[in-house]
Amino acid sequence: QVQLVESGGGLVQAGGSLRLSCAASGSIFSINIMGWYRQAPGKQRELAASISRGGTTNYADSVKGRFTISRDNAKNTVYLQMNSLKPEDTAVYYCNTKPLWAGPDYWGQGTQVTVSS
C-alpha cells in the first residue's frame, strides 16, 4: 500500500505562484507514475500533470508553459510548481500514483488551491 500526503495549497492572487508537494510512503517500490489531478466545483476530475519514474512528463493543455512537475526519487516526493496562476486553476489538487506493474492507483486527500481575481 501507498500513502500520500500533500502540502502547499493556499490562496493566491491571479498571476501568483504556488508549489505543491506530495510525499509517498509505504510500498514505494511499486510506483511508476506520480501526478497531480484537480477537480473544480461542478467539474470532472482531470489530470493536470504527471511524471514517470524515468522523468517523462505529461501536461494538460490548459497548464502547459505555466506548471512544471518534478520528482525527487530519493525522497519519494513529487512537486508541482504553478506559476502565472489563473482563477480557472482554482480546484482541489490530488496527488496520484500509478503502479509499475498491475495494481491500484493511490490518492492523496487533496489540497485546496484558490486563485482570486
Side-chain angles (χ1 to χ4, degrees):
Q1 297 183 351
V2 174
Q3 295 80 45
L4 303 172
V5 179
E6 303 112 324
S7 62
L11 173 65
V12 297
Q13 293 182 343
S17 298
L18 286 172
R19 189 168 95 148
L20 306 182
S21 299
C22 173
S25 62
S27 300
I28 56 175
F29 62 87
S30 67
I31 298 172
N32 182 16
I33 295 172
M34 302 184 74
W36 292 93
Y37 287 73
R38 65 185 186 180
Q39 187 166 24
K43 295 185 178 181
Q44 296 294 312
R45 188 174 299 187
E46 65 174 358
L47 177 69
S50 67
I51 184 168
S52 73
R53 188 175 60 182
T56 300
T57 58
N58 187 37
Y59 296 94
D61 288 342
S62 58
V63 309
K64 286 181 179 178
R66 300 187 298 117
F67 290 11
T68 302
I69 191 168
S70 61
R71 66 191 289 175
D72 185 337
N73 290 324
K75 295 182 178 180
N76 304 308
T77 300
V78 64
Y79 306 93
L80 187 66
Q81 179 67 46
M82 304 185 292
N83 298 326
S84 302
L85 283 162
K86 303 175 180 179
E88 52 262 43
D89 295 318
T90 295
V92 178
Y93 284 70
Y94 296 91
C95 186
N96 165 265
T97 66
K98 299 184 182 297
L100 183 63
W101 301 288
D105 284 19
Y106 291 93
W107 296 89
Q109 293 299 117
T111 185
Q112 177 71 46
V113 172
T114 302
V115 184
S116 62
S117 300

